[in-house]
Amino acid sequence: LQHGLAALAVFARSYGADHPHVGRILNLVGAVYFDSHDYVRARDFFERALANSLQTLGPDHPTVAIRLNNLALVYEQEGRFEEALAAQRRALAIEEAAYGGDHPQIAIGYSNLGILLRSAGKLADGYQAHLRSVAISEATMEADNPDLGVSIAEMADSLADLGRYQEALEAHRRGHAILEKAVGADHDWTLSARLGSARDLLEFRRAPYGRGR
């Protein structure tokens, strides 16, 4: 953190406060505070990074989408879900304009939106976002791409949220198979998908007959 703050001072002196390099350092310092769970300071630095990028790069630059995504993460942690969703949707709109609708980055954007919607209690909307993420991933990625595996596993989590445990189990198993092949059996993503499969199987066995079908 101290190195980041020192670098920020050096870059501001060398390039001036209104320079993209300063925006990058502001974002990095914000990320350090975020990882330390200091969300107030993280928000301050992310907001400053966003203001810098808007001024130096323009409102439609993909970097602005990254800044908005980071702000959405902070707002989510603070329970400010409507602000988080607004920032996430704005970020996704910028990325769709920059990359087109069928691009791996858009799949990640919809996945992030789905996670946030579920955190806000909008479970059906979250599932639809995850479904869109998987569709784009399948159209734009190789079959063994780990990002595809993650998208499928996150959709499976969304299905479980809706009580559709059999479908969730099938999706988790598919995501797990992709991740095991792509990143190995001991990777955190693979283990998470495996845990999801076990949870879904347990819930499906507990559920009344026909539930989740």
Side-chain angles (χ1 to χ4, degrees):
L1 177 59
Q2 295 306 315
H3 292 300
L5 292 172
L8 178 60
V10 170
F11 274 70
R13 284 197 304 270
S14 301
Y15 298 103
D18 297 328
H19 192 281
H21 290 341
V22 175
R24 282 194 284 271
I25 299 300
L26 286 167
N27 188 68
L28 288 172
V29 174
V32 173
Y33 278 124
F34 183 86
D35 289 341
S36 301
H37 308 289
D38 187 342
Y39 300 121
V40 173
R41 288 190 174 90
R43 173 164 37 84
D44 175 60
F45 278 89
F46 285 152
E47 286 175 345
R48 290 165 62 188
L50 173 62
N52 175 281
S53 296
L54 284 168
Q55 182 170 347
T56 60
L57 301 173
D60 301 322
H61 196 280
T63 297
V64 172
I66 294 171
R67 306 289 185 253
L68 287 164
N69 181 70
N70 289 341
L71 265 179
L73 291 172
V74 173
Y75 291 148
E76 179 186 10
Q77 292 300 320
E78 294 178 326
R80 298 163 61 176
F81 292 112
E82 291 307 314
E83 291 169 273
L85 285 167
Q88 189 70 61
R89 286 179 170 131
R90 185 177 165 199
L92 184 54
I94 292 169
E95 290 175 334
E96 286 184 314
Y99 302 119
D102 291 324
H103 188 280
Q105 187 61 39
I106 306 305
I108 294 171
Y110 272 103
S111 185
N112 290 338
L113 178 61
I115 292 169
L116 183 53
L117 284 163
R118 289 162 50 213
S119 294
K122 302 176 186 293
L123 303 184
D125 290 341
Y127 169 67
Q128 291 301 319
H130 285 302
L131 197 63
R132 177 67 175 145
S133 174
V134 171
I136 297 171
S137 298
E138 289 175 329
T140 61
M141 300 177 188
E142 297 294 329
D144 58 353
N145 189 309
D147 285 335
L148 172 59
V150 170
S151 288
I152 293 170
E154 288 171 346
M155 183 185 69
D157 288 339
S158 185
L159 285 164
D161 288 344
L162 295 169
R164 295 164 61 175
Y165 297 116
Q166 184 176 19
E167 294 170 86
L169 176 61
E170 293 167 358
H172 265 132
R173 284 173 171 168
R174 184 182 169 207
H176 176 266
I178 293 171
L179 289 167
E180 188 171 44
K181 180 179 179 180
V183 297
D186 296 326
H187 194 282
D188 287 348
W189 293 348
T190 311
L191 294 173
S192 178
R194 185 186 303 162
L195 179 62
S197 295
R199 183 185 63 242
D200 295 339
L201 181 59
L202 178 62
E203 292 298 332
F204 180 64
R205 286 174 173 171
R206 286 175 173 170
Y209 178 77
R211 185 178 178 185
R213 293 178 184 271

